[in-house]
Amino acid sequence: MYNFKIRANEWPILKLKLQRKYNHLTDADLEFQEGQEDDLLRRLAKRLNRNIDYVIFTLSKEMVDLDSNQL
């Protein structure tokens, strides 16, 4: 279990940023329910061919400034 949380109100913006950065991700890859962060992290790690630490780093970096249009 990872100590990583995403709030429901942050997810739509974060999802959009991920879709723009990794355009091969599908809606199914990005399906998320609050409290199911571990499932999301594992799914993204597999689809991005990266480890979970990289996925957490990437998501955390994007969450710092959700209003930014940068990827």
Side-chain angles (χ1 to χ4, degrees), residues 14-50:
L14 189 54
K15 178 180 176 181
L16 182 61
K17 286 184 166 211
L18 288 171
Q19 286 175 320
R20 288 178 52 212
K21 186 170 185 168
Y22 304 104
N23 59 9
H24 66 282
L25 293 176
T26 65
D27 286 335
D29 295 331
L30 296 169
E31 190 173 311
F32 172 70
Q33 296 287 323
E34 196 167 4
Q36 300 296 320
E37 288 85 353
D38 288 352
D39 293 337
L40 176 68
L41 294 174
R42 281 192 285 277
R43 194 169 48 248
L44 289 176
K46 183 176 181 179
R47 288 289 288 146
L48 298 175
N49 199 27
R50 299 288 191 142

Side-chain angles (χ1 to χ4, degrees), residues 53-66:
D53 291 332
Y54 173 85
V55 174
I56 291 172
F57 170 79
T58 301
L59 293 174
S60 297
K61 186 174 131 183
E62 297 299 336
M63 288 171 64
V64 168
D65 189 8
L66 286 173

